[in-house]
Amino acid sequence: FVMQGFLQLKIAPWKRTMITRLVALGPAVFVALGTAHDPVISDTLNEWLNVLQSIQLPFALLPVLIMTSSAFVMDSFVNTLATNVIGWMGAVLVFVANLYLVIDFCWEDNSKHVPSADWFHPTVIMLLVMYFLFIAWVIYDGVVGFRERVARENDKYM
């Protein structure tokens, strides 16, 4: 329902449900069937997918926090101060856990899950820096930029 409103799509509920289930479960079923013959490959891929999913979590969490903190969007249903504090503390906890997970996964001693090539660790560090800069930009643009856009829209109609 959120994506339908965000993208302004008019799709029958059963079609929307079928599409989202196929997008969510299709790749998992494909990978499970493709790696069923070798449990080591399946476990390695599963660990990589868990890391990837945890890295993607802030991109679902941040818009929810930003939008539900806005009285313009939520009107009387806006988050309370306590809810905002708990939500943002949870978001920070997710960011820290992601950082720990990636570092632990990529720098684990005797890991057979990551390449041992010289380029791998510097690439991970560069990607982590880019990831956290992008997260910071999403937060800044979502909080400050959103308020500026709302103010401009309010000025337009006054």
Side-chain angles (χ1 to χ4, degrees):
F1 297 113
V2 172
M3 289 305 291
Q4 180 176 343
F6 183 71
L7 297 174
Q8 301 297 315
L9 298 174
K10 305 287 189 241
I11 299 174
W14 72 269
K15 289 179 184 176
R16 182 180 55 240
T17 302
M18 184 172 52
I19 291 168
T20 56
R21 295 304 182 262
L22 284 173
V23 168
L25 298 175
V29 170
F30 179 74
V31 168
L33 293 174
T35 61
H37 67 283
D38 188 350
V40 173
I41 293 174
S42 182
D43 288 345
T44 300
L45 192 54
N46 184 45
E47 288 187 35
W48 276 98
L49 290 174
N50 286 338
V51 170
L52 178 63
Q53 286 175 336
S54 74
I55 289 171
Q56 292 173 339
L57 184 59
F59 299 106
L61 180 64
L62 289 174
V64 170
L65 283 173
I66 291 166
M67 295 297 186
T68 59
S69 300
S70 169
F72 179 76
V73 173
M74 299 301 293
D75 196 28
S76 63
F77 299 103
V78 67
N79 287 345
T80 63
L81 177 62
T83 305
N84 278 332
V85 168
I86 291 169
W88 283 102
M89 286 174 49
V92 168
L93 183 64
V94 167
F95 302 153
V96 170
N98 283 346
L99 181 62
Y100 172 78
L101 176 66
V102 170
I103 289 172
D104 183 59
F105 183 73
C106 293
W107 274 269
E108 184 180 357
D109 291 336
N110 299 323
S111 177
K112 294 176 176 56
H113 305 296
V114 298
S116 60
D118 292 338
W119 59 266
F120 181 73
H121 289 113
T123 303
V124 170
I125 291 169
M126 181 186 67
L127 290 173
L128 279 174
V129 168
M130 290 170 48
Y131 171 74
F132 280 103
L133 286 173
F134 187 65
I135 294 280
W137 177 81
V138 167
I139 292 170
Y140 174 80
D141 186 60
V143 173
V144 175
F146 181 73
R147 287 183 184 153
E148 291 172 356
R149 287 188 293 276
V150 168
R152 279 195 302 270
E153 287 295 317
N154 283 342
D155 290 344
K156 202 187 297 184
Y157 295 109
M158 291 191 158

